[in-house]
Amino acid sequence: MAEAVRSVSDGSVLVTRRFRQPLEVLLKALAVAACYYVSGRLGLLGRLTVEGVIVTPIWPPTGVAVAALFVFGAAVWPGIAVGSFLIIASLTTPQLTTLVTVAGNTIAPLCAYLMLRRAGFRVGISRLRDGVALVFLGGLGAMLISATAGVGLQVVTGGLGTGQFWSVWLAWWVGDAMGVLLVTPLLLVLVGATGPLRLRRWKEMLCLGLAALIVVPVAVLGDLSLLFLVFPLLIWVALRFQLAGSMLCALFASVLTTFEANTQQGAFLHLSPIEIMTKLQAFNGATALTALLLSAMAAEQRATRRSVQSACRELAEVLEHLAAGKTPPELSARHAAGLRTDDTASATDSPRDV
């Protein structure tokens, strides 16, 4: 009787697990779709028009999609497709050709995720190679797919002339890449943050925040072209507060600059639409690369310094034990482990020798 009850209980647990896993994946995919849609609507607030086509200098959904794939896994890709379809449906009536754009917007983040995993990318972006991989594989490389699919479809269907292809394609590609470079690192850092917030340098954080609130608007909103003033601020925050602080500062500067470009004021006064897009994308790209690569390099150097300090402490302890005529604890433990291994090997080999 007890065995029958146990088998029924094990069966019910197994059935519950089988239903729970698809349900969890479905809920995660729906959450990704919602985040994709909301970030897309926010990104459309800074849209520009190039050759009669609406483009966004920063397209946050691509960054949300890549981060979601790293957090939840590749199984949530339908959520990316659903979110992309909902954004297109909110702008125009969906048609059969819409599926090509949705496919491009879904395949591009998936390719970025797969290539980054193949390259050994770490979500903490604590090494320079992680930052370089995110830039060239996740951002510039994979987003060629979505830009080519979206703009190429408009050329094929006659909605865009052949001579207009490259200008619109470049704006689309850079916008998607900026979403990955500015949004993905910030989301990965926020998701991976554990433990209480350390406020040991709260005075410096306060000064940095005030400096950002003053320097960035002056550089962006002034009549003079002073956008270069943002870069010393980015270098400061990248070296002192690394990825979380530098990406927040870069995103703030890029968003403010994008809205200023929409009004054609400040550093974008008296410029043509193509000149505005070129200047804006150059600034956004430079800020993203500076913040991402410099903070990754600072994190890698800090980790190397900690490992060297730890090795020096261990070496000092070993030398102290040797100077006192004692066997260091680690060496004695390793020696004992070696003796146990030898004894086990000899005991195992002895029957064969007999």
Side-chain angles (χ1 to χ4, degrees), residues 12-75:
S12 62
V13 171
L14 183 60
V15 171
T16 302
R17 289 179 179 177
R18 287 179 179 177
F19 281 101
R20 181 182 300 174
Q21 186 173 4
L23 181 60
E24 290 179 355
V25 173
L26 177 61
L27 293 177
K28 290 177 181 178
L30 292 176
V32 171
C35 294
Y36 193 102
Y37 177 78
V38 172
S39 62
R41 298 302 301 179
L42 292 175
L44 289 172
L45 295 177
R47 57 189 175 185
L48 297 173
T49 302
V50 177
E51 302 290 350
V53 178
I54 296 176
V55 296
T56 55
I58 304 173
W59 186 236
T62 56
V64 172
V66 175
L69 290 172
F70 273 103
V71 174
F72 299 124

Side-chain angles (χ1 to χ4, degrees), residues 79-162:
I80 301 174
V82 172
S84 176
F85 179 81
L86 291 177
I87 291 176
I88 296 175
S90 66
L91 297 175
T92 184
T93 302
Q95 300 176 357
L96 187 61
T97 55
T98 303
L99 298 178
V100 178
T101 305
V102 171
N105 293 339
T106 306
I107 294 174
L110 268 174
C111 289
Y113 168 72
L114 295 176
M115 288 191 296
L116 288 173
R117 286 198 61 183
R118 182 74 175 176
F121 176 77
R122 296 179 182 177
V123 295
I125 316 181
S126 57
R127 303 172 301 174
L128 180 60
R129 60 177 293 184
D130 297 328
V132 173
L134 184 63
V135 171
F136 291 99
L137 296 179
L140 302 180
M143 296 306 120
L144 293 171
I145 299 174
S146 57
T148 304
V151 182
L153 177 65
Q154 297 189 31
V155 173
V156 171
T157 57
L160 191 66
T162 306

Side-chain angles (χ1 to χ4, degrees), residues 172-242:
W172 191 312
W173 173 56
V174 176
D176 284 355
M178 288 303 102
V180 175
L181 300 185
L182 289 171
V183 178
T184 298
L186 185 59
L187 292 179
L188 292 178
V189 168
L190 293 177
V191 171
T194 57
L197 181 63
R198 297 180 181 179
L199 299 178
R200 292 180 297 177
R201 298 196 303 247
W202 66 271
K203 294 182 180 179
E204 186 178 4
M205 292 175 62
L206 181 61
C207 292
L208 180 61
L210 293 176
L213 292 176
I214 295 174
V215 172
V216 174
V218 169
V220 175
L221 304 179
D223 294 334
L224 300 176
S225 184
L226 301 176
L227 297 178
F228 59 87
L229 293 179
V230 175
F231 294 98
L233 187 66
L234 283 176
I235 295 172
W236 174 20
V237 68
L239 294 178
R240 296 296 292 165
F241 298 98
Q242 295 170 3

Side-chain angles (χ1 to χ4, degrees), residues 305-316:
R305 184 170 62 252
R306 285 196 297 265
S307 62
V308 170
Q309 291 174 350
S310 177
C312 290
R313 285 194 298 269
E314 293 179 359
L315 181 59

